[in-house]
Amino acid sequence: MRMKKSHLLAPGPTPVPPEVLAAMGQPILHHRAPEFGAVMEDVRAGLRYLFQTEEEVVTFAASGTGAMEAAVVNVLSPEDKAICIRGGKFGERWQEICEAYGAEVIPIDVEWGSAVNPTLVADTLQAHPEVKALYVPASETSTGVRHDVEALAQIVRPTDAILVVDAITAIGVFDMPTDAWGLDIVISGSQKALMLPPGLGFCCVATKKAWKLVEQSTLPSYYFDFKKEYENLRKNSSSYTPAVSLVVGLRDVLRLIRAEGLERVFARHDRLARATRSAMQAIGLELFAKESPSNALTAVKVPEGIDGTAIPKMLREDYGITIAGGQSQLKGKIFRIAHLGYAFDWDIVTAVAATEMVLKRLGYDVELGAGVRAAQHILLEG
Ligand SMILES: *Cc1c(COP(=O)(O)O)cnc(C)c1O
């Protein structure tokens, strides 16, 4: 077998810093021991910093979808109405979860590759004043588009509805201050910008309006219980056995994020994103996002006549580089290079160089190095 060094540039899971991997390999702490209480205390402060909130952020042992489900079952009651902003796989997931619990969804359909028009949201909300919650992904990972959460928050704030934001590829990528923008509930997951293995889901219930709905909610739930979990969190504890090793890793990544500083974290993601976009355009490719591309990942259209599924396959099999293809209706039509979390300049250079080589081998007319050069010019800003 040929030995290969592997590079993970998928929009989740993402690479974990080696020192964090080592910390998670330490002997297991008991979750009721004082040492673990101290870890929880650190984690609480770190998550408040990351989410830019005075409120607490609860952590569940679940993938990001678990946190999404928690933000439905704790908020809605049977037959409640909710608006879900679609336009990608993750927007659609909100609808699927709401409907699984018997809520009535008013979908707002957005063309895949576009961002939602806030005016349309305002009109829909006005036409349906009985709506309890509006669910939106801040960064739609399936299309690489960022929705304007700040504008949505301004629309939702004066109404009785709350805004629930899936920030799984937003938190730790770009500025989305929970309190300053008045976001009601923000959820995230561990395996994207948080540089951890999969397995933790985060929920921040940030406003009185959101807590009022939580008090009224009658959907069935047991494990995902905000009231119970928040009560325990305030004692540096949790209702059930937490994923202790992941929480220890969480303490460490939150320290790394705080040491770099949110502003610099956002600037790094912005630079890597611009370098990747510029590289793809320099080799004649078109971005899939028609507007407001997310800084978490770059979705690129597969050029005419090229086998789209072969791109991620060859990158992985021949070069050890993992990127993502398209999902659902975009299968074979786009490929997605992620640049979030533990991602730095040379990850981009590597991914761009290998993508050029794969495209050339697949018959696409590319001048080797043209994309790399375009990326370098942006990375020079360093
Ligand atoms: C990754 C992701 C999720 C959650 O997926 P899980 O596989 O459940 O962790 C949800 N929303 C967005 C926008 C994502 O990128």
Side-chain angles (χ1 to χ4, degrees):
M1 206 181 88
R2 200 153 59 103
M3 198 165 133
K4 265 192 304 266
K5 184 170 179 179
S6 51
H7 300 264
L8 185 54
L9 288 107
T14 63
V16 178
E19 63 269 38
V20 177
L21 282 174
M24 289 188 300
Q26 295 300 301
I28 302 291
L29 292 176
H30 191 272
H31 61 294
R32 304 299 180 210
E35 291 93 320
F36 192 72
V39 173
M40 287 291 280
E41 177 135 23
D42 269 12
V43 160
R44 286 169 64 190
L47 285 172
R48 282 198 299 265
Y49 173 74
L50 176 68
F51 279 65
Q52 303 189 64
T53 181
E54 297 287 314
E55 248 301 346
E56 299 279 348
V57 180
V58 284
T59 302
F60 292 106
S63 84
T65 306
M68 294 171 77
E69 183 156 340
V72 170
V73 297
N74 282 278
V75 166
L76 300 180
S77 297
E79 291 167 44
D80 268 358
K81 284 192 187 159
I83 292 175
C84 294
I85 294 173
R86 313 199 324 157
K89 207 172 151 54
F90 293 104
E92 290 182 355
R93 186 168 299 177
W94 276 127
Q95 174 167 12
E96 288 164 14
I97 299 170
C98 288
E99 288 180 346
Y101 284 96
E104 190 185 320
V105 171
I106 300 162
I108 293 185
D109 270 308
V110 180
E111 191 195 346
W112 287 40
S114 293
V116 70
N117 176 357
T119 312
L120 183 60
V121 176
D123 293 347
T124 310
L125 206 48
Q126 200 161 32
H128 301 276
E130 69 284 11
V131 159
K132 291 278 170 56
L134 192 140
Y135 291 93
V136 66
S139 165
E140 177 49 85
T141 315
S142 62
T143 61
V145 168
R146 174 181 173 173
H147 291 299
D148 189 349
V149 167
E150 187 177 18
L152 298 183
Q154 279 169 11
I155 290 162
V156 174
R157 196 175 319 158
T159 71
D160 290 332
I162 65 163
L163 180 64
V164 184
V165 183
D166 166 358
I168 295 181
T169 52
I171 281 281
V173 175
F174 50 79
D175 194 24
M176 209 187 72
T178 302
D179 289 356
W181 287 3
L183 310 178
D184 295 292
I185 296 181
V186 178
I187 67 115
S188 198
S190 54
Q191 81 277 25
K192 310 274 169 99
L194 259 70
M195 309 179 276
L196 287 172
L200 298 180
F202 308 102
C203 297
C204 177
V205 185
T207 62
K208 287 207 177 69
K209 199 158 70 159
W211 274 114
K212 205 171 136 202
L213 275 187
V214 172
E215 291 296 333
Q216 293 167 356
S217 163
T218 59
L219 277 183
S221 66
Y222 188 86
Y223 178 75
F224 292 117
D225 185 333
F226 281 169
K227 279 189 281 186
K228 193 168 177 181
E229 211 55 57
Y230 266 86
E231 211 177 290
N232 284 308
L233 182 67
R234 293 201 169 91
K235 296 178 265 183
N236 291 328
S237 188
S238 56
S239 310
Y240 311 103
T241 315
V244 282
S245 304
L246 291 177
V247 175
V248 166
L250 175 61
R251 176 196 55 193
D252 290 8
V253 292
L254 289 169
R255 282 178 179 167
L256 292 176
I257 290 171
R258 214 197 254 269
E260 187 176 9
L262 277 184
E263 221 166 285
R264 248 170 292 170
V265 169
F266 299 147
R268 170 165 54 85
H269 283 87
D270 181 63
R271 197 178 73 248
L272 299 183
R274 283 186 292 115
T276 310
R277 286 176 212 140
S278 165
M280 292 298 115
Q281 287 168 326
I283 54 172
L285 301 185
E286 206 184 319
L287 305 182
F288 184 70
K290 289 198 189 72
E291 55 203 327
S292 50
S294 169
N295 281 350
L297 75 157
T298 298
V300 184
K301 283 191 193 170
V302 171
E304 208 63 51
I306 302 292
D307 174 7
T309 55
I311 299 168
K313 188 166 183 282
M314 279 169 73
L315 280 169
R316 188 180 61 248
E317 289 176 1
D318 299 346
Y319 302 120
I321 294 173
T322 301
I323 63 161
Q327 298 165 286
S328 305
Q329 66 213 61
L330 294 177
K331 202 169 165 53
K333 302 209 168 88
I334 63 168
F335 60 91
R336 295 173 298 152
I337 300 174
H339 27 70
L340 78 167
Y342 194 56
F344 299 88
D345 299 22
W346 309 117
D347 297 310
I348 302 307
V349 170
T350 301
V352 169
T355 302
E356 288 179 350
M357 287 161 68
V358 160
L359 285 168
K360 192 168 186 72
R361 284 174 55 200
L362 286 169
Y364 178 68
D365 180 24
V366 52
E367 184 204 336
L368 288 179
V372 170
R373 190 183 325 123
Q376 283 173 311
H377 278 294
I378 288 170
L379 296 174
L380 262 179
E381 294 171 13

